Amino acid sequence: MLSVLAARYHQGQKTMRYPSARPPDLPERFAGMPHIDSQRNCGTCRLCLDACPTGAICRQDSADSVTIDTGKCLFCRACSDVCPQQTITFTREYRLARTSREDLVVVNAQRERHAAIEDLKQRLFRRSLRLRQVSAGGCNACEADSNVLGTLAWDIGRFGMQFVASPRHADGLLVTGPVSENMKLALLKTYEAVPDPKIVIATGSCAISGGPYIDHDEVCNGVTDLLPVDLFIPGCPPHPLTILDGLLFFLGLVP
């Protein structure tokens, strides 16, 4: 027993101290919030629009610049790779979550995050949030990065958050995947089983807009048109730090 305690002492602290300390280092290839340089004139160039696999990029009306819908974006960098002007670049900004679907659209600069949660839900959920994760036809990438949050290094339990097995024990749903036709009814029934008041979190581009499967006959283009979504977390998949930051932001624990 003493040897076990000694080994644990020498291992030291394993759980990251974020958000009270700096966040963990991100991978070298991490692609965060896209940035559009308003000083660079796109003219009639359509290379980025043609390269985008999900139609996330649109040209602004009566303007020689574009917008990027991060709810549709796969963060694949295809647009920045083909842009001769380097108008579009991807930053290291991991704080991508927003409470409004409109706020996911990047114009010339990233939009500020608005107040995340109404007073009633904040009082109810801030110190104890239970989520039922629903994989609605996902590829398991978003699911895996969500599950990481329960490991020793991330430990969302220290914030009073927990994934639960039954929707009847949950405060809301964390939905991943484009919502296939085969999962639509199951998702709706799971939502009905969650007691009021309840929340819905769309995690990943598939859950927000359909992702790479957008407009396919067998998917519903995400959960947005099926259920009232309280929080959108973009990414394909979103990094665990992006998901954690989104949950903390939603509860008002980080700005």
Side-chain angles (χ1 to χ4, degrees), residues 28-191:
E28 182 180 348
R29 289 182 54 80
F30 174 78
M33 181 70 72
H35 172 73
I36 302 172
D37 190 343
S38 59
Q39 302 301 316
R40 300 179 186 272
N41 192 322
C42 291
T44 59
C45 178
R46 290 183 50 88
L47 290 176
C48 62
L49 280 76
D50 296 337
C52 182
T54 58
I57 304 176
C58 295
R59 184 177 294 280
Q60 292 192 70
D61 295 336
S62 66
D64 291 331
S65 59
V66 296
T67 64
I68 300 178
D69 185 349
T70 58
K72 293 182 177 181
C73 182
L74 302 182
F75 297 81
C76 64
R77 294 189 178 92
C79 55
S80 61
D81 289 342
V82 301
C83 181
Q85 301 286 346
Q86 290 297 294
T87 301
I88 301 174
T89 56
F90 285 84
T91 69
R92 306 284 290 174
E93 177 56 74
Y94 60 87
R95 296 175 298 174
L96 305 176
R98 298 292 185 271
T99 53
S100 167
R101 181 67 180 88
E102 293 74 21
D103 286 346
L104 295 180
V105 179
V106 176
V107 188
N108 291 331
Q110 98 180 50
R111 297 191 176 186
E112 296 297 324
R113 301 206 282 194
H114 302 296
I117 189 171
E118 60 189 66
D119 290 342
L120 173 61
K121 290 181 178 178
Q122 188 174 77
R123 291 198 303 270
L124 290 175
F125 301 147
R126 173 173 278 190
R127 299 182 65 181
S128 178
L129 179 65
R130 302 292 184 262
L131 296 172
R132 175 66 168 93
Q133 198 273 323
V134 179
S135 176
C139 69
N140 281 334
C142 292
E143 293 82 354
D145 280 358
S146 299
N147 289 339
V148 164
L149 299 180
T151 61
L152 179 65
W154 296 85
D155 188 20
I156 59 172
R158 59 198 165 109
F159 304 108
M161 302 180 199
Q162 182 181 0
F163 291 110
V164 294
S166 170
R168 300 190 185 281
H169 300 159
D171 300 308
L173 304 181
L174 188 145
V175 183
T176 56
V179 188
S180 64
E181 286 294 337
N182 285 340
M183 279 299 299
K184 179 180 177 180
L185 180 60
L187 173 63
L188 295 178
K189 285 185 173 293
T190 303
Y191 177 76

